[in-house]
Amino acid sequence: MLNWEDSLKNILIVALVVLAGVVLSGEGILAKPDQVDGFNVPEGRIPQEIKDHRYPRTYFPTTEKLGEKEMRIIALGTGMPNQSPSNVAASFLVELGNGDSFLFDMGTGSTDRLAGLEADYSRLDKVFISHLHTDHAGDVAALWVGGWIQGRYNPLHVYGPSGSSPELGTKVHIDHIRAAWAWDVTSRAGSLPHNGGEIVAHEFDFSQTAVVYQENGVRITSFPAIHIRDGSVSYRLDWEGLSFVFGGDSVPNKWFLKEAKGADVVVHEAFFTPEQWMKIAGFPYKQAYWVTTQIHTPPEGFGKLMSMVEPRMAVAYHYWNHRDIEMEIYSGIRKTYGGPLTLADDLTVINLTKEHIEVREVTINHESWPQGTSKEWDTAPRGEPATGLMSDWIRDGEIKGVNPPPKQPLD
Ligand SMILES: [Zn+2]
Ligand SMILES: [Zn+2]
């Protein structure tokens, strides 16, 4: 005979089985975000206002409201073109209290980190590329198509520099991405919002210090960088008296010093030392020195530059935060710089206001889902459906009756 405890257990087990059945069958489940203050957030999530700078110790994505005059900067990728599981390649996300979002670089692997943020992809439609190395632009196509499926119903806008000739500039690069992925994009036509499948290049002159974006109180300035060949730039974003500077790859240069001087959060590469690069890449000293000091900026150079820039927060990236390396990076920087410093890791997050800077890590759910597509995405116009893309003999090769029939009417 069952006692009451066993009965209760049985009831609970039955309830769980029923619940699991509902979840697994997908009945009644449509992944849709909630709208909170005009923002799409994952279903059931209610972002909280942060008072008196009392931030939780870690940042759980989409749980905090940004203040009206607050900026949130998230390092998505801080590593290298040769991959390491600890650090994917360069990308920083900047979110503003006015609802705007900007991506600076989209290096290989960075879209994986973005997915962990359970972001509203409809807002992630502007990328500013510092230069066309894969570790700074390798995931543009991944964001273009992945973001489209996950909620972007408008074109992806890619801002980037010209090169020494047209074929080395951002416009031709994007034209080739569009052409290279024609098979992909045309196969999705009709089922996804038409405009979300567009990618638009905004190429500007790499050699000028110039405003390349100005909207909604946000100004983004591009200025030249020194990195192997013509066509590398860095950026400065200004909004509500707050400033964020994103250094693409470069040796320390006069344009950076001028634009970054006294800015709030200043991100610049701090590359490996020549000795580390000899170990990592197996290069002889001469070549290692050339890479780490003539193409890049090693820790001591980063420190010296930041001593001149004097930011409210200096942020170093572009190395692997491996335990066996990072203390040398840190002590290299500290030889020449004693000011506020963050060694950015993937998913380091910085909250910035006029009064306060908070540096934390993002805690992500490694099994997080996309937050789901919105009503706007559902109703955005579709183009002509992709039909007639398959030969009859291929279609006819299906083994009929193997895949299950529909359980619900399809109209
Ligand atoms: Zn790089
Ligand atoms: Zn580079």
Side-chain angles (χ1 to χ4, degrees), residues 79-81 89-90 105 130-131 133-136 227 248-250 269 271 296 317-318:
M80 294 284 296
D105 279 348
S130 67
H131 64 296
H133 269 153
T134 55
D135 58 320
H136 296 259
H227 183 55
D249 294 353
S250 184
E269 64 153 296
F271 206 78
H296 291 287
Y317 79 107
H318 217 311

Side-chain angles (χ1 to χ4, degrees), residues 66-81:
L66 272 180
E68 257 176 41
K69 296 185 177 180
E70 181 174 15
M71 189 186 291
R72 180 165 52 220
I73 299 151
I74 300 179
L76 298 173
T78 55
M80 294 284 296

Side-chain angles (χ1 to χ4, degrees), residues 173-196:
H173 182 83
I174 297 300
D175 286 345
H176 280 83
I177 285 181
R178 201 183 293 109
W181 295 107
W183 197 100
D184 179 308
V185 173
T186 55
S187 74
R188 301 177 201 277
S191 60
L192 303 179
H194 177 76
N195 288 346

Side-chain angles (χ1 to χ4, degrees), residues 38-41 62 117-124 150-151 371:
F39 287 85
N40 290 331
V41 292
T62 73
L117 299 181
E118 297 173 73
D120 177 357
Y121 281 83
S122 69
R123 289 174 185 268
L124 300 175
Q150 295 198 61
Q371 62 164 249

Side-chain angles (χ1 to χ4, degrees), residues 227-239:
H227 183 55
I228 312 181
R229 65 185 310 156
D230 286 357
S232 270
V233 300
S234 294
Y235 293 103
R236 175 183 169 121
L237 181 152
D238 288 278
W239 169 73

Side-chain angles (χ1 to χ4, degrees), residues 79-99:
M80 294 284 296
N82 45 338
Q83 288 81 8
S84 159
S86 68
N87 297 86
V88 302
S91 181
F92 282 74
L93 169 65
V94 176
E95 297 170 291
L96 307 180
N98 68 0

